[in-house]
Amino acid sequence: MPAGFFTPRRISIGVLCVLSLAVCCGLAWWQWNRFESASGTFQNLGYVLQWPLFGLFPAFMVLRIRKLRREAAEADEAAEPQPRREWGRKPVTEVPRPRPAHPVIAAAEEDDELAAYNRYLAELHARDQEER
């Protein structure tokens, strides 16, 4: 195992995954007992099958995130050349060029129909205020 494999964060994530599975299996057992009781329904049986999947989901997500991070790191290594190293200095990296600014969209000229509609709304508002 590599150095730093058992970090407090990894241990807490592992404990959380095991705890999640234990709690969800307990809930599945509880639903099984409800299913076997006189008032049990097939909905309880569905929950019996569903709770263990909920318990396994955090572990699945941890494995999926690790896989995606590993793939992203491999893609970064393949895409970017390694920075030059000079003896006794930090790696030299190139500063990226600034991106061009997006052009500012000029305000649209006033449309005749829009102006007429706004006058109509102002007239309705004035009438409404007079009635009050």
Side-chain angles (χ1 to χ4, degrees), residues 65-119:
I65 289 170
R66 286 185 63 203
K67 179 183 175 188
L68 291 174
R69 284 185 180 168
R70 186 173 41 245
E71 289 174 357
E74 290 172 1
D76 286 346
E77 288 176 4
E80 294 182 15
Q82 296 295 330
R84 293 181 290 134
R85 283 196 173 267
E86 295 180 15
W87 184 256
R89 292 185 170 184
K90 293 181 180 179
V92 178
T93 56
E94 294 182 20
V95 176
R97 294 183 310 153
R99 290 186 238 158
H102 295 291
V104 177
I105 299 173
E109 294 180 16
E110 184 90 16
D111 186 15
D112 291 335
E113 288 183 29
L114 179 61
Y117 181 68
N118 285 335
R119 283 192 301 272

Side-chain angles (χ1 to χ4, degrees), residues 19-78:
L19 182 65
S20 163
L21 182 61
V23 167
C24 288
C25 285
L27 289 168
W29 180 260
W30 170 64
Q31 287 293 332
W32 179 256
N33 288 335
R34 291 277 305 176
F35 173 69
E36 289 183 331
S37 71
S39 63
T41 63
F42 283 104
Q43 183 177 10
N44 297 114
L45 182 61
Y47 286 138
V48 168
L49 302 173
Q50 198 173 16
W51 277 115
L53 295 176
F54 288 154
L56 290 173
F57 186 73
F60 166 75
M61 287 306 300
V62 167
L63 295 175
R64 181 74 178 144
I65 289 170
R66 286 185 63 203
K67 179 183 175 188
L68 291 174
R69 284 185 180 168
R70 186 173 41 245
E71 289 174 357
E74 290 172 1
D76 286 346
E77 288 176 4

